[in-house]
Amino acid sequence: MISALAAIASAIYTGMTYKATVALKKHDSILRLRLADETLRAAVLALPGLLERARDSRQAVWAAIGWGRSGPMQVWEARVKELEAEIQALQRCLPGEGNLASRSLEALTDLISANHSLQQRAFAVRDELNEGLRADDRQRDHLHEDHRAAMAARLAQPGR
């Protein structure tokens, strides 16, 4: 009799513990998803401004070296259009404000995974644009150095 009561109490306690564990995991998943959503939103909303900076930078640098309407510039402009389309697609995929508490743990896990994939896409665009800006900065450094060398050569000429 005592064994039966102990078994019943153990089963009830196990059920309560399992339910509490699932609730804790769900709460943790909701917090992780909200943080991931904010990270994604910030990354995606920063992309249009970054793209504009990268476009303006590339146009200025390539105009300075005489490539303003060159083939490479046209390739870059086509890539900008592709990046604009990717940014717009990412903006359409931004998660809305939904009731996450009503979702199952499995659904929350799926949302976290989807968010991670979107973040990777957004970070890839961001990284490509930042690398382009760094390349433009290196090209500007070369242009400044060439300009300084040309000025030094002119100043070193006799009769100046």
Side-chain angles (χ1 to χ4, degrees), residues 47-59 129 133:
L47 290 176
L50 184 59
L51 179 62
E52 185 176 336
R53 277 185 44 223
R55 177 190 300 131
D56 293 347
S57 174
R58 182 62 47 98
Q59 287 173 344
L129 293 172
L133 287 167

Side-chain angles (χ1 to χ4, degrees), residues 111-124:
L111 288 172
I112 291 169
S113 179
N115 183 294
H116 179 73
S117 297
L118 291 171
Q119 281 186 24
Q120 294 307 307
R121 287 173 52 193
F123 294 162

Side-chain angles (χ1 to χ4, degrees), residues 27-48:
H27 181 70
D28 182 57
S29 293
I30 289 171
L31 292 176
R32 287 178 51 214
L33 183 57
R34 285 188 177 144
L35 178 62
D37 284 351
E38 288 305 313
T39 301
L40 174 62
R41 186 173 304 286
V44 170
L45 294 179
L47 290 176

Side-chain angles (χ1 to χ4, degrees), residues 6-125:
I8 292 171
S10 177
I12 292 171
Y13 179 74
T14 301
M16 290 172 41
T17 303
Y18 176 76
K19 188 174 181 177
T21 301
V22 169
L24 186 60
K25 285 183 179 182
K26 187 174 177 181
H27 181 70
D28 182 57
S29 293
I30 289 171
L31 292 176
R32 287 178 51 214
L33 183 57
R34 285 188 177 144
L35 178 62
D37 284 351
E38 288 305 313
T39 301
L40 174 62
R41 186 173 304 286
V44 170
L45 294 179
L47 290 176
L50 184 59
L51 179 62
E52 185 176 336
R53 277 185 44 223
R55 177 190 300 131
D56 293 347
S57 174
R58 182 62 47 98
Q59 287 173 344
V61 167
W62 284 14
I65 61 176
W67 287 12
R69 298 301 325 155
S70 66
M73 187 62 180
Q74 292 174 0
V75 169
W76 165 247
E77 288 171 352
R79 182 63 185 142
V80 166
K81 290 190 186 316
E82 292 170 1
L83 291 171
E84 285 174 337
E86 176 68 5
I87 291 168
Q88 290 170 357
L90 286 166
Q91 288 171 333
R92 286 190 299 272
C93 292
L94 284 176
E97 296 294 324
N99 183 7
L100 298 176
S102 65
R103 305 273 180 132
S104 69
L105 185 57
E106 293 80 18
L108 291 170
T109 303
D110 290 344
L111 288 172
I112 291 169
S113 179
N115 183 294
H116 179 73
S117 297
L118 291 171
Q119 281 186 24
Q120 294 307 307
R121 287 173 52 193
F123 294 162
V125 171

